[in-house]
């Protein structure tokens, strides 16, 4: 495992940061994701008018785009209690049974990283989601018996960065919808940075906010992380938080003018230098970097694809002309043929 590659994930802008102080608690403060907000508005209002709890909802998309924030907003604005857990925290059927039986009527259960639930637990979740029944097997072998418990009505909100790992029976049980969070525009990120700076009591100018937004991977969590690091830098160097300070602070973090991190650039470099720009499989790239495929697929690739540095083709991943130009490496002559 190449340690510097992974340290960036743990300590840096991809880590789950304590961003609760910056999390919006009113819909009007939640910037972007307009289509999801409109759909949720209808869903929640309709449920309220019918006097029932909202149906189960799945959010998916790259990390840091606000899936957990949406869950908190739904709970807060519908006045419901939310219990929070995650796929890896539910190890045994008994763990899930205990969570479900301890819910109060109308509660929301939020399961983060739901793709990490194991199959046996998924099987128990299906009837719970569909008909509010908990089937538990007691005993083993010929004397085993199934008992059914009726659960209080509840809403399951779930989030995943890896929707392809969710089995289709589970996916189809999210009767309230499966929503994909999109990357944010630079203007939306700039509004988020502006709001966060106000909450943190910081004096910034528009150019500093613009510079952070340009490099924040179209991701609110990253933008807030950069804002805090730029604040630290300005404070220690006794400088105003302006564009120049942002550039210096981000340079220290290894973030380039396209918002690429050292690990993003390593992926592009290895593809150019070892695999002639592709097509190359994700597993091969991961092995060359001593990195896990899931890390690259979840953390790096979505932004590299969104920015147009990598393309996915049926034969594997390929570098684009833009990637070569960004790396300052000569573009191979037959590049276009590979992208076909
Ligand atoms: N923090 C995380 N996501 C956000 C959003 N969409 N708007 C405002 N603040 C956020």
């Amino acid at each position: 495992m190449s340690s510097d590659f992974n340290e960036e994930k743990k300590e840096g802008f991809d880590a789950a940061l304590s961003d609760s102080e910056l999390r919006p608690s009113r819909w009007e403060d939640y910037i972007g994701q307009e289509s999801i907000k409109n759909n949720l508005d209808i869903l929640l209002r309709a449920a309220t008018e019918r006097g029932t709890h909202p149906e189960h909802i799945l959010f998916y998309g790259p990390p840091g785009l606000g899936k957990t924030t949406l869950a908190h907003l739904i709970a807060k604005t519908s006045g419901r209690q939310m219990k929070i857990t995650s796929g890896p925290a539910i190890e045994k059927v008994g763990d899930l049974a205990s969570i479900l039986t301890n819910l109060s009527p109308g509660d929301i259960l939020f399961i983060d990283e739901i793709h990490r639930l194991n199959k046996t637990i998924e099987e128990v979740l299906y009837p719970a989601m569909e008909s509010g029944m908990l089937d538990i097997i007691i005993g083993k072998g010929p004397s085993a018996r199934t008992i059914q418990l009726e659960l209080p009505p509840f809403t399951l909100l779930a989030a995943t960065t890896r929707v392809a790992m969710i089995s289709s029976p589970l996916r189809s049980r999210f009767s309230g919808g499966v929503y994909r969070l999109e990357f944010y525009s630079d203007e939306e990120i700039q509004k988020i940075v502006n709001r966060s700076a106000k909450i943190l009591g910081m004096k910034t100018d528009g150019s500093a906010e613009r510079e952070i937004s340009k490099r924040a991977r179209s991701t609110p969590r990253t933008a807030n992380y950069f804002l805090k690091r730029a604040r630290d830098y300005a404070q220690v160097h006794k400088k105003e938080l302006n564009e120049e300070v942002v550039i210096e602070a981000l340079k220290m973090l290894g973030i380039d003018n396209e918002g690429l991190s050292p690990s993003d650039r390593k992926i592009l470099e290895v593809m150019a230098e070892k695999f002639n720009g592709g097509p190359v499989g994700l597993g091969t790239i991961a092995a060359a970097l001593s990195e896990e495929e899931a890390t690259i697929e979840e953390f790096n690739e979505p932004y590299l694809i969104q920015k147009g540095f990598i393309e996915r083709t049926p034969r594997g991943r390929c570098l684009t002309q833009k990637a070569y130009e960004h790396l300052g490496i000569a573009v191979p002559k037959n590049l276009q043929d590979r992208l076909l």
Side-chain angles (χ1 to χ4, degrees):
M1 204 67 45
S2 75
S3 60
D4 56 338
F5 197 107
N6 280 310
E7 282 315 304
E8 190 182 292
K9 303 283 171 266
K10 287 193 213 94
E11 294 182 5
F13 41 85
D14 291 322
L17 302 160
S18 66
D19 40 16
S20 56
E21 60 185 323
L22 301 176
R23 183 172 281 152
S25 55
R26 302 180 312 172
W27 285 110
E28 46 279 34
D29 292 335
Y30 190 96
I31 293 151
Q33 312 292 350
E34 296 303 328
S35 155
I36 297 183
K37 281 195 294 193
N38 293 338
N39 280 297
L40 290 179
D41 181 43
I42 298 284
L43 192 98
L44 297 176
R45 277 168 43 189
T48 307
E49 282 177 17
R50 286 197 298 267
T52 67
H53 57 287
E55 289 170 75
H56 311 302
I57 299 169
L58 175 66
F59 297 119
Y60 73 96
L65 297 189
K67 298 183 284 295
T68 309
T69 305
L70 279 177
H72 278 282
L73 267 173
I74 291 174
K76 178 132 201 251
T77 57
S78 61
R80 291 169 190 279
Q81 175 172 239
M82 182 162 86
K83 301 257 172 76
I84 301 174
T85 185
S86 72
I90 306 173
E91 289 177 0
K92 303 187 292 291
V93 168
D95 298 336
L96 180 63
S98 143
I99 292 168
L100 291 173
T101 51
N102 279 302
L103 293 173
S104 301
D107 274 1
I108 291 176
L109 172 63
F110 178 59
I111 305 184
D112 199 8
E113 294 187 74
I114 194 163
H115 60 275
R116 291 180 62 187
L117 274 187
N118 75 41
K119 288 283 159 275
T120 329
I121 294 167
E122 257 190 35
E123 300 280 337
V124 177
L125 196 55
Y126 297 156
M129 290 173 74
E130 221 161 32
S131 49
M133 298 306 271
L134 186 63
D135 297 329
I136 308 181
I137 300 168
I138 304 201
K140 277 196 180 136
S143 63
R145 287 181 302 124
T146 307
I147 57 161
Q148 273 203 328
L149 287 179
E150 200 176 326
L151 294 167
F154 71 102
T155 299
L156 176 65
L157 300 182
T160 179
T161 47
R162 313 202 60 200
V163 76
M165 285 178 72
I166 307 280
S167 66
S168 74
L170 178 56
R171 212 188 300 193
S172 67
R173 282 168 172 90
F174 287 97
S175 50
V178 175
Y179 299 98
R180 179 182 130 138
L181 278 86
E182 303 291 343
F183 281 116
Y184 292 69
S185 69
D186 286 359
E187 292 71 34
E188 287 167 343
I189 294 286
Q190 205 177 322
K191 282 188 196 158
I192 292 172
V193 172
N194 182 273
R195 176 179 172 272
S196 300
K198 283 196 188 116
I199 294 172
L200 296 170
M202 295 161 62
K203 259 189 24 204
T204 59
D205 63 13
S207 67
E209 290 170 8
R210 239 188 334 274
E211 201 55 46
I212 290 175
S213 315
K214 253 174 38 195
R215 300 175 188 225
R217 308 173 74 82
S218 314
T219 303
R221 184 186 291 158
T222 308
N224 287 335
Y225 175 72
F226 287 173
L227 178 68
K228 289 181 176 180
R229 299 295 68 78
R231 171 177 70 168
D232 290 350
Y233 189 93
Q235 181 188 317
V236 168
H237 289 276
K238 305 202 172 7
K239 289 184 175 176
E240 296 281 311
L241 184 45
N242 54 26
E243 181 182 354
E244 194 184 52
V245 163
V246 169
I247 292 172
E248 285 167 25
L250 295 190
K251 196 165 158 203
M252 279 186 72
L253 293 171
I255 308 301
D256 69 24
N257 58 349
E258 290 275 7
L260 302 195
S261 66
S263 69
D264 293 324
R265 283 193 303 275
K266 267 189 210 162
I267 292 169
L268 300 183
E269 278 160 13
V270 100
M271 286 177 73
E273 286 160 8
K274 284 207 175 152
F275 304 108
N276 206 17
V280 54
L282 183 61
T284 313
I285 301 171
L289 288 163
S290 307
E291 181 50 82
E292 284 175 24
E293 273 183 49
T295 307
I296 297 178
E297 198 172 16
E298 234 174 282
F299 288 96
N300 304 96
E301 202 179 56
Y303 184 66
L304 292 172
I305 291 175
Q306 132 102 4
K307 275 270 169 185
F309 289 117
I310 289 182
E311 276 187 26
R312 268 186 179 162
T313 73
R315 288 177 299 140
R317 274 73 171 168
C318 288
L319 277 191
T320 61
Q321 180 164 342
K322 183 176 171 187
Y324 278 99
E325 286 165 3
H326 186 66
L327 295 174
I329 301 177
V331 182
K333 285 198 185 64
N334 57 350
L335 188 70
Q336 282 315 317
D337 305 341
R338 284 183 236 173
L339 294 174
L340 294 177

